[in-house]
Amino acid sequence: MRYGHFDDDQREYVIDRPDTPLPWINYLGTDAYFGIISNTAGGYSFYRDAKLRRLTRYRYNNAPLDVGGRYVYVRDDETGDYWSPSWQPTPERELTGYECRHGLSYTKIASSRGGIRAETLYFAPLGETLEVWRVRVTNDRDTAAALSLFSSVEFCLWDAQDDATNFQRNYSIGQVEVADGVIYHKTEYRERRDHFAYFACSEELAGFDTSRDAFLGAYRGYDRPAAVENGVAGDSIAHGWQPIGSHHVRLALAPGETREVNFVLGYAENPKDAKFDPPGSQTLNKTGVRPVIERWLRPETVEQGFAGLRAYWDDLLEKIQVRTPDGDTDRMVNVWNAYQCLVTFNMSRSASLYESGIGRGMGFRDSNQDLLGFVHMVPERARQRILDIAATQKETGGAYHQYQPLTKRGNNDIGEGFNDDPLWLVLGVGAYLKETGDTAILDQPVPFDNAPGSEVPLVEHLRRSLRYTLDRLGPHGLPLIGRADWNDCLNLNCFSDTPGEPFQTTENAHGGVAESVFIGGLFVLAAKEMAGIAALHGGDGEKYRVAAEKMAGTVAEHGWDGAWFRRAYDFHGNVIGSGENDEGQIFIEPQGICVLGGVGLDDGLAVKALDSVAERLATPHGIVLQQPAYSGYRIELGEISSYPPGYKENAGIFCHTNPWIMIAEAMTGNGDRAFDYYRRLNPSAREAISEVHRCEPYVYAQMIAGKDAPTHGEAKNSWLSGTAAWNFVAITQWILGIRPEFTGLRVDPVLPEGWTGFEATRRFRGTTYQIRVVGAGRVTHLEIDGARVEGNVIPLAEPGAVVRVTAFA
Ligand code: BGC
């Protein structure tokens, strides 16, 4: 069952009924000012850091799930009837023609009631720290209409964690100011935190409210605000409690008339050198923001700003466009998967319907993997991201697991000890170099742990990443896992010093001897990448190739179980992910990553491992993480076994891992299987089963419930997942085979049966390549602007050139 459809020309997903199985969200903002917005206008906004600079309040896990957002109310002043055109928060009021269009960094929600149509466009213009709500109200009646329009946001007292917990303080600190019709939220301004929010309206106001109690009325919710019901705002000024922003505007519309009313919600700071006169005064920088507000309330500016945003996305997406025999592939590659990748660049794992914006900083491994999916769109920003991440690395080569986006400092709450973390930096840098050829980055001085004076060239950080693994090998010569590897929940050093007393501390987790076959495979992959990087840097990659071979040998010796790769050895030396185990016999991760590292490609082990995946792990909804699921909690395995069977790491379809198998299948030449797995996860291909999948059909989710779960096929945790980047890599670089390499662009498709080619446009290092693949097999030669070239690598062309390439397969 569908709840909407794709409008491919507009690059929009159109939701045509508001009661989607879950809130289907979208993101506003492209740089510093961001927001999430659902199909019923729920969500919140923040400046840079969803934890510390939250502009508007959102109550997670609410009932209904998604109430609280950017609401507009329309009131018929003749009858007193009122409603919200976004359905929430007035779902009892029946609407006609509801439509939500989620586009690239904007959302439009429209509906009608009683012959009055209202459409709100929400977006955050490029280069500004604000969002615009463009409301268009049309009188479709044949009589005049006297209407009221109310806006509403509930301000968050900036620190979202405190805001949701520290009420003994919060109820006394809220402060607002209203001047010239602009509502300023200035809580905490006294402490010279120097930031404030403003909320403005393009029309003359009939009134306003800034106190939630005054606006809603005691014991009332957003479904029936007293001010709206009575058609009169209270001009209230909040003192503590819950500051809100609401404007009241009266509109008299002739039959057929449309009026545009704009609202601007923004974030501002005083200039750093602002003088306080008298000292301690709370003079807001109103004169500074006033021109910005005035500009963005003007319809022409809004029009231009919106056009600018559309052009920005068109330009980014042009980097890769494909035309294949499969519409779901085209739609995801050309628009939605790329879009999701850039959202993960902006958000990491911070703010979504599932990530509260307060819980997690930027992940070291996560951000490096996200980079694989967006580096081609925003290479300069990817460069900065790499330098930021590397600057959190420690001298040992170890990494903080996360860092805070605002301070860019390593996050001590979680510390280090996820022993795979450092290796992902090598892969991130490798991807950047392949895309850009910018070898100068390798010489860029980068500190350790942000300590001034500790700078070394970036390439030294990479060396230390590899060293970190080699310095920590276990009894079988495999890498020590530490607290966990990619699989955060596989905590194999969960031993207890006192028998019968389970506990895990950071210290003993570090000291534990549990080993990871996965990190072994990842090391092989990263060391080979490093060999290529070293060669680019004028050095000799040989020692990394030797280290890779050695580790590959250890993986084959101690990590092979007969028909698949083992997963790990626990603290006691017991094997995990083996036929010897009663549960958790086979795990997906090492089958993918070892093959990506090239282990088993020459001797048939890879094909065997992939056959085992097909036989034991694949389901119609994707490939589960392991089998059989753990039926009970096991202290020696940790969190993984805390999940009920079929969910998350305990045999859920952890979507991030599936593309590794797609790539591995492509590497062994099995295009059919690779593409079949690709389609099982492709959200657009799952659109028709939205009532089962339940999450948005335009983006990947982190997890789909596995076959052991009662809700098999149900997705959760959409948007912020490495699934986005890896699926993008799998389809574009391995199945369609258009793959940046250190020396040029390779065209090496491994296509499913029945395809006889496809077309693609790829902008690479300043050149536009128009690629046509002809045939169903492996590429034997190319024709580049009419000249025959053997093999499948397109030699680098002049930047600015448009090059026609035909690949004969
Ligand atoms: C984390 C990843 C981790 C994955 C598997 C995600 O929630 O962000 O870093 O690799 O879970 O445990």
Side-chain angles (χ1 to χ4, degrees):
M1 170 177 176
R2 290 181 164 82
Y3 292 78
H5 62 274
F6 287 90
D7 182 339
D8 292 325
D9 291 341
Q10 291 299 319
R11 296 177 164 158
E12 291 172 338
Y13 190 79
V14 188
I15 300 164
D16 46 37
R17 48 184 289 180
D19 59 340
T20 46
L22 289 164
W24 284 1
I25 72 160
N26 192 17
Y27 286 83
L28 307 179
T30 50
D31 186 12
Y33 184 98
F34 294 105
I36 66 173
I37 182 163
S38 74
N39 58 307
T40 60
Y44 59 93
S45 300
F46 60 94
Y47 172 72
R48 285 195 195 278
D49 186 321
K51 179 177 179 200
L52 298 175
R53 291 283 194 283
R54 181 98 49 113
L55 268 86
T56 56
R57 183 176 281 158
Y58 191 69
R59 279 172 282 275
Y60 273 88
N61 205 355
N62 210 341
L65 197 52
D66 176 44
V67 174
R70 302 171 183 82
Y71 295 135
V72 170
Y73 299 86
V74 181
R75 181 177 191 274
D76 184 333
D77 285 340
E78 272 151 33
T79 62
D81 182 32
Y82 66 89
W83 67 96
S84 173
S86 56
W87 191 60
Q88 286 288 9
T90 57
E92 302 299 324
R93 317 271 161 156
E94 208 174 302
L95 303 174
T96 52
Y98 162 91
E99 186 183 86
C100 166
R101 289 181 169 260
H102 281 322
L104 306 178
S105 303
Y106 68 88
T107 288
K108 247 188 228 173
I109 305 177
S111 67
S112 295
R113 182 174 165 92
I116 305 297
R117 180 148 187 90
E119 176 202 272
T120 311
L121 165 69
Y122 300 91
F123 73 102
L126 301 173
E128 301 283 0
T129 59
L130 56 85
E131 68 188 65
V132 174
W133 309 2
R134 186 193 70 191
V135 185
R136 285 184 173 157
V137 187
T138 304
N139 178 10
D140 288 330
R141 300 174 184 164
D142 45 20
T143 53
L147 306 172
S148 277
L149 205 62
F150 291 85
S151 62
S152 107
V153 293
E154 188 169 328
F155 292 113
C156 178
L157 307 181
W158 298 113
D159 179 335
Q161 168 88 50
D162 247 32
D163 186 71
T165 48
N166 197 2
F167 304 108
Q168 59 82 24
R169 169 181 161 84
N170 294 346
Y171 287 172
S172 292
I173 63 172
Q175 282 191 301
V176 295
E177 190 172 318
V178 180
D180 302 325
V182 181
I183 296 168
Y184 294 92
H185 175 227
K186 56 179 194 176
T187 300
E188 293 200 333
Y189 198 74
R190 301 174 62 78
E191 300 164 43
R192 304 264 184 96
R193 295 206 185 170
D194 281 6
H195 53 268
F196 59 94
Y198 53 84
F199 191 31
C201 171
S202 60
E203 304 304 297
E204 200 182 313
L205 300 187
F208 63 85
D209 271 301
T210 66
S211 148
R212 191 178 79 186
D213 258 7
F215 179 64
L216 298 181
Y219 293 97
R220 281 166 171 252
Y222 283 93
D223 55 335
R224 43 187 205 108
V228 179
E229 198 168 283
N230 301 328
V232 190
D235 293 356
S236 58
I237 296 290
H239 302 286
W241 298 109
Q242 298 86 7
I244 62 151
S246 173
H247 308 94
H248 176 203
V249 171
R250 288 194 202 280
L251 299 175
L253 294 188
E257 188 184 349
T258 297
R259 284 279 286 283
E260 180 171 315
V261 180
N262 291 314
F263 297 94
V264 171
L265 171 67
Y267 171 89
E269 288 175 0
N270 272 337
K272 287 279 164 281
D273 55 357
K275 295 275 180 301
F276 288 87
D277 184 25
S281 72
Q282 297 172 54
T283 318
L284 295 174
N285 182 25
K286 286 188 289 232
T287 40
V289 294
R290 200 66 231 192
V292 180
I293 294 174
E294 272 160 22
R295 195 147 37 88
W296 285 102
L297 289 175
R298 283 202 285 275
E300 322 77 80
T301 320
V302 172
E303 207 56 49
Q304 284 161 12
F306 186 52
L309 183 66
R310 302 269 294 186
Y312 166 83
W313 274 108
D314 287 346
D315 183 55
L316 288 179
L317 296 181
E318 258 172 44
K319 304 275 168 69
I320 301 183
Q321 288 291 300
V322 301
R323 290 161 298 281
T324 75
D326 182 60
D328 297 310
T329 299
D330 292 3
R331 172 180 285 159
M332 288 311 292
V333 170
N334 296 343
V335 184
W336 295 98
N337 194 178
Y339 179 49
Q340 187 180 358
C341 286
L342 217 56
V343 169
T344 65
F345 164 72
N346 288 324
M347 297 291 132
S348 189
R349 305 292 173 268
S350 129
S352 72
L353 196 72
Y354 309 83
E355 302 283 9
S356 64
I358 57 182
R360 301 226 237 171
M362 315 273 292
F364 193 96
R365 82 155 82 88
D366 293 344
S367 298
N368 276 304
Q369 289 175 85
D370 292 344
L371 197 132
L372 308 177
F374 63 70
V375 61
H376 66 288
M377 287 185 278
V378 287
E380 308 77 27
R381 296 173 80 187
R383 186 181 209 274
Q384 190 55 49
R385 176 61 54 85
I386 286 172
L387 299 176
D388 288 348
I389 299 171
T392 67
Q393 192 178 27
K394 303 198 173 179
E395 281 194 61
T396 57
Y400 287 102
H401 196 47
Q402 293 173 358
Y403 69 97
Q404 282 309 126
L406 211 56
T407 60
K408 297 187 178 171
R409 299 258 156 186
N411 190 339
N412 249 333
D413 302 353
I414 310 186
E416 62 175 304
F418 293 81
N419 282 352
D420 64 314
D421 270 336
L423 294 173
W424 296 106
L425 181 64
V426 180
L427 299 184
V429 172
Y432 172 78
L433 289 168
K434 288 172 180 171
E435 182 65 36
T436 62
D438 169 27
T439 50
I441 195 176
L442 295 169
D443 295 317
Q444 182 83 29
V446 182
F448 289 112
D449 201 1
N450 281 296
S454 65
E455 289 81 2
V456 295
L458 177 67
V459 70
E460 177 60 22
H461 282 263
L462 306 185
R463 291 184 194 123
R464 298 216 186 174
S465 290
L466 292 161
R467 194 71 253 157
Y468 183 85
T469 304
L470 295 177
D471 285 347
R472 287 166 183 74
L473 300 179
H476 298 89
L478 287 164
L480 292 178
I481 197 168
R483 295 178 58 168
D485 59 22
W486 171 88
N487 189 331
D488 279 338
C489 302
L490 194 60
N491 314 125
L492 302 180
N493 288 310
C494 282
F495 64 93
S496 163
D497 289 340
T498 324
E501 245 182 59
F503 70 87
Q504 181 194 21
T505 68
T506 309
E507 258 156 67
N508 62 26
H510 281 215
V513 294
E515 295 165 289
S516 163
V517 176
F518 174 84
I519 302 182
L522 186 65
F523 178 86
V524 178
L525 179 62
K528 287 182 177 170
E529 194 79 338
M530 188 65 192
I533 294 172
L536 273 189
H537 196 241
D540 181 9
E542 192 49 27
K543 74 171 182 196
Y544 297 109
R545 261 185 296 275
V546 170
E549 281 321 312
K550 185 158 180 240
M551 184 66 79
T554 310
V555 167
E557 192 185 339
H558 297 290
W560 182 251
D561 201 60
W564 58 79
F565 292 101
R566 297 175 162 180
R567 181 63 179 84
Y569 290 90
D570 72 11
F571 173 74
H572 307 283
N574 298 320
V575 65
I576 310 292
S578 156
E580 285 173 26
N581 301 119
D582 58 341
E583 294 176 338
Q585 294 176 337
I586 169 171
F587 281 66
I588 189 173
E589 306 101 298
Q591 322 314 324
I593 232 64
C594 291
V595 178
L596 261 65
V599 186
L601 277 178
D602 298 334
D603 54 14
L605 298 191
V607 169
K608 253 195 207 164
L610 295 172
D611 285 347
S612 299
V613 169
E615 226 170 80
R616 306 187 46 142
L617 300 179
T619 81
H621 294 291
I623 310 167
V624 299
L625 193 140
Q626 114 272 10
Q627 278 292 294
Y630 295 112
S631 53
Y633 184 64
R634 300 180 182 221
I635 178 65
E636 71 280 13
L637 303 181
E639 189 180 344
I640 187 169
S641 56
S642 72
Y643 289 109
Y647 293 104
K648 298 281 285 184
E649 283 86 343
N650 189 13
I653 296 159
F654 212 98
C655 300
H656 185 138
T657 60
N658 280 220
W660 295 340
I661 301 299
M662 298 168 203
I663 296 170
E665 289 288 4
M667 289 174 86
T668 61
N670 196 336
D672 254 359
R673 252 206 215 147
F675 189 67
D676 177 18
Y677 290 147
Y678 174 74
R679 274 193 60 85
R680 292 186 204 196
L681 282 199
N682 182 316
S684 164
R686 295 173 63 79
E687 186 197 13
I689 53 160
S690 286
E691 79 287 6
V692 177
H693 185 77
R694 300 187 77 229
C695 278
E696 297 91 335
Y698 40 90
V699 288
Y700 287 96
Q702 180 208 55
M703 199 231 4
I704 296 176
K707 58 186 174 184
D708 303 287
T711 57
H712 186 33
E714 179 194 46
K716 270 187 206 137
N717 201 357
S718 54
W719 281 101
L720 304 183
S721 165
T723 309
W726 276 108
N727 268 286
F728 196 78
V729 169
I731 185 70
T732 59
Q733 299 190 17
W734 293 94
I735 298 175
L736 301 178
I738 301 178
R739 192 157 66 241
E741 294 198 348
F742 292 124
T743 53
L745 195 59
R746 194 181 289 278
V747 185
D748 183 21
V750 183
L751 301 178
E753 234 186 88
W755 284 31
T756 52
F758 68 94
E759 290 178 6
T761 306
R762 175 72 158 93
R763 277 211 229 143
F764 178 67
R765 301 197 196 179
T767 307
T768 303
Y769 296 94
Q770 292 174 343
I771 302 168
R772 199 156 65 89
V773 172
V774 185
R778 300 303 285 264
V779 170
T780 52
H781 66 281
L782 307 171
E783 221 174 72
I784 301 177
D785 284 337
R788 184 182 168 111
V789 172
E790 292 308 319
N792 59 12
V793 180
I794 310 173
L796 289 174
E798 280 300 303
V802 177
V803 177
R804 274 176 229 292
V805 180
T806 309
F808 294 92

